[in-house]
């Protein structure tokens, strides 16, 4: 996941020498490659760690590949999420694209035959050695499009996870202690409500709201629960203790004023801006915000992992995928290789990203070191639990609409869980 912030289309000139191109491994399925253009799409904000790293990668590509034009277009996350299958079946498909990972996205496209198998390149270029087992889960998909094994259809250059961002200045202003435990977190939210402040930034129209609820459920879950839900290793029970706690607590938090009833129509961008502007003291969201908050916030802020839970949302980062119809696959592979280089990985690490192949000694920023240390702690305890919308195509929209009903009060927790269960079962059956 990540912010849906858009940027004006940018074009960068770049290029590939003929001798270098001839030296590259051939691809019998590479189409009518002209070797002179790389059409690249991604949806990272320019001041995010990933956006800065990919801009640097384009410049590095220019240096090492004189003679080829890089046609870069930034797309919105929601835009690609909804249109990728259609676009990849058309002549408008890019040569290289950033795409959301998981069974419902990359897995779905790979099953449809719309993506290039990157297994040979992953081995030949050593990407498989740089990407650890926990992050690799979302890179490989079997014949049914289920993640965790099979062929490589995407390459992540970073990892990501969710955390609690909090405005230290607002806590101090209102005389509220910085929380260390879950009970202290709820006590802090009660104190903010008493002072007329809605504590949690939220976005009911996009991913933020459903991720609050999923995290609440995860706090009562274990790895087998996650595997049943995400990897189909068992039949998930949507009225078990974990799901029931998540739905009931989320609804309760709306009633208590922790989450605004007016947040049903707000987007992830709105939630992030609310935190940046100092209006919301707390935002539970992902590491993809880290670089932007560092650059744009004017107050002292900090982060901590969700208290009282061994599991949290997270995974390898979004994936570089090469559409099956790409006409310049070798250039796409070369660009991926640059983003995996130590130079670009170190840029990620020093700007609030979680790199998969950086030199730890090269990451100097204290906040970035803390970010990476928390991720390592999660990885060591097998704490990455993916994202709630992954199990089936179209499930994201269902979770958005059903969670909005909990916010407005038009559905009770039991009805919410019934609707989610029905959509899950249908989505998995129709995969």
């Amino acid at each position: 996941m990540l912010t849906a912030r858009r940027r004006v289309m940018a074009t960068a000139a770049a290029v590939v020498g003929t001798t270098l191109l001839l030296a590259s491994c051939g691809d019998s399925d590479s189409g009518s490659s002209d070797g002179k253009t790389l059409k690249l799409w991604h949806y990272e904000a320019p001041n995010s760690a990933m956006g800065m790293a990919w801009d640097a990668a384009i410049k590095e590509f220019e240096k090492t590949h004189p003679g080829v034009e890089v046609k870069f277009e930034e797309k919105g996350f929601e835009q690609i999420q909804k249109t990728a299958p259609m676009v990849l079946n058309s002549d408008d498909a890019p040569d290289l694209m950033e795409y959301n990972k998981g069974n419902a996205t990359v897995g779905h496209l790979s099953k449809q035959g719309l993506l290039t198998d990157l297994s040979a390149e992953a081995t030949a270029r050593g990407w498989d050695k740089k990407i650890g087992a926990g992050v690799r889960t979302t890179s490989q998909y079997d014949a049914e499009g289920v993640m965790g094994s099979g062929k490589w259809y995407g390459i992540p250059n970073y990892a990501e996870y969710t955390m609690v961002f909090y405005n230290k200045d607002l806590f101090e202003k209102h005389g509220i202690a910085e929380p260390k435990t879950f009970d202290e977190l709820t006590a802090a939210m009660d104190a903010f409500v008493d002072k007329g402040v809605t504590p949690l930034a939220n976005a009911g129209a996009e991913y933020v709201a459903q991720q609050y609820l999923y995290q609440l459920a995860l706090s009562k879950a274990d790895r087998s629960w996650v595997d049943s839900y995400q990897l189909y290793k068992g039949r998930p029970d949507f009225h078990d203790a974990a799901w029931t706690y998540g739905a009931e607590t989320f609804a309760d938090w709306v009633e208590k004023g922790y989450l605004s009833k007016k947040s049903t129509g707000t987007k992830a961008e709105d939630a992030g801006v609310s935190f940046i502007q100092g209006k919301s003291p707390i935002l539970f969201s992902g590491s993809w915000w880290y670089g932007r908050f560092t650059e744009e916030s004017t107050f002292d802020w900090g982060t901590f992992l969700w208290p009282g839970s061994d599991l949290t949302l997270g995974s390898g980062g979004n994936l570089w995928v090469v559409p099956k119809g790409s006409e310049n696959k070798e250039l796409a592979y070369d660009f991926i290789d640059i983003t995996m280089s130590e130079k670009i990985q170190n840029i990620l690490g020093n700007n609030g990203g979680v790199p998969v192949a950086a030199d730890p000694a090269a990451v100097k920023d204290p906040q970035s070191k803390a970010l990476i240390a928390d991720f390592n702690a999660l990885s060591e305890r097998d704490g990455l639990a993916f994202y709630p919308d992954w199990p089936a195509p179209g499930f994201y929209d269902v979770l958005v609409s059903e969670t909005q009903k909990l916010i407005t009060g038009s559905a009770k927790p039991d009805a919410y869980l019934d609707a989610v269960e029905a959509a899950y079962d249908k989505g998995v059956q129709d995969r």
Side-chain angles (χ1 to χ4, degrees), residues 165-210:
F165 294 90
Y166 69 108
N167 183 326
K168 293 184 177 184
D169 288 355
L170 277 181
F171 272 77
E172 183 178 356
K173 174 184 175 182
H174 292 287
I176 300 171
E178 296 178 13
K180 304 296 182 184
T181 66
F182 184 74
D183 286 344
E184 289 177 358
L185 175 62
T186 55
M189 292 192 291
D190 283 330
F192 276 116
V193 170
D194 289 344
K195 296 176 183 296
V197 178
T198 302
L200 297 176
N202 188 36
E206 289 184 354
Y207 61 84
V208 178
Q210 61 183 260

Side-chain angles (χ1 to χ4, degrees), residues 167 272 275-278 289-301:
N167 183 326
F275 184 78
I276 289 170
Q277 293 178 344
W289 289 104
Y290 214 92
R292 185 169 173 197
F293 288 171
T294 298
E295 181 173 319
E296 296 185 22
S297 298
T298 58
F299 50 83
D300 188 16
W301 57 275

Side-chain angles (χ1 to χ4, degrees), residues 149-330:
S149 66
K151 298 176 180 178
W152 289 70
Y153 284 103
I155 305 298
N157 315 111
Y158 65 100
E160 62 183 38
Y161 67 98
T162 51
M163 69 201 77
V164 179
F165 294 90
Y166 69 108
N167 183 326
K168 293 184 177 184
D169 288 355
L170 277 181
F171 272 77
E172 183 178 356
K173 174 184 175 182
H174 292 287
I176 300 171
E178 296 178 13
K180 304 296 182 184
T181 66
F182 184 74
D183 286 344
E184 289 177 358
L185 175 62
T186 55
M189 292 192 291
D190 283 330
F192 276 116
V193 170
D194 289 344
K195 296 176 183 296
V197 178
T198 302
L200 297 176
N202 188 36
E206 289 184 354
Y207 61 84
V208 178
Q210 61 183 260
Q211 290 185 3
Y212 277 113
L213 193 154
Y214 186 57
Q215 178 59 68
L216 287 166
L218 287 175
S219 69
K220 303 298 182 182
D222 58 19
R223 176 53 57 183
S224 63
W225 185 95
V226 175
D227 289 346
S228 292
Y229 177 66
Q230 297 281 1
L231 303 180
Y232 320 129
K233 294 181 178 179
R235 173 72 172 85
D237 177 3
F238 285 89
H239 288 273
D240 66 9
W243 278 115
T244 300
Y245 175 80
E248 289 182 349
T249 303
F250 183 89
D252 183 53
W253 282 13
V254 174
E255 287 303 310
K256 287 181 174 178
Y258 298 174
L259 295 152
S260 172
K261 293 182 179 181
K262 297 179 180 179
S263 63
T264 52
T266 55
K267 303 291 185 73
E269 174 72 4
D270 301 321
V273 169
S274 179
F275 184 78
I276 289 170
Q277 293 178 344
K279 296 177 180 178
S280 299
I282 303 169
L283 169 65
F284 174 71
S285 196
S287 50
W288 49 87
W289 289 104
Y290 214 92
R292 185 169 173 197
F293 288 171
T294 298
E295 181 173 319
E296 296 185 22
S297 298
T298 58
F299 50 83
D300 188 16
W301 57 275
T303 66
F304 53 87
L305 296 176
W306 189 272
S309 179
D310 289 333
L311 298 167
T312 196
L313 295 79
S315 69
N318 290 307
L319 304 173
W320 289 123
V321 299
V322 179
K324 193 72 171 177
S326 167
E327 296 186 348
N328 292 285
K329 293 184 179 180
E330 290 301 333

Side-chain angles (χ1 to χ4, degrees), residues 363-387:
V363 179
K364 305 296 186 183
D365 176 65
Q367 279 192 314
S368 295
K369 283 182 177 291
L371 179 76
I372 296 169
D374 277 348
F375 176 78
N376 290 340
L378 277 173
S379 297
E380 289 169 6
R381 70 185 189 215
D382 194 21
L384 299 176
F386 313 123
Y387 294 88

Side-chain angles (χ1 to χ4, degrees), residues 309-353:
S309 179
D310 289 333
L311 298 167
T312 196
L313 295 79
S315 69
N318 290 307
L319 304 173
W320 289 123
V321 299
V322 179
K324 193 72 171 177
S326 167
E327 296 186 348
N328 292 285
K329 293 184 179 180
E330 290 301 333
L331 298 183
Y333 304 152
D334 284 349
F335 188 87
I336 293 173
D337 208 38
I338 288 172
T339 65
M340 292 293 287
S341 68
E342 191 172 281
K343 177 179 179 179
I344 303 303
Q345 289 287 301
N346 290 345
I347 292 173
L348 268 172
N350 278 301
N351 289 284

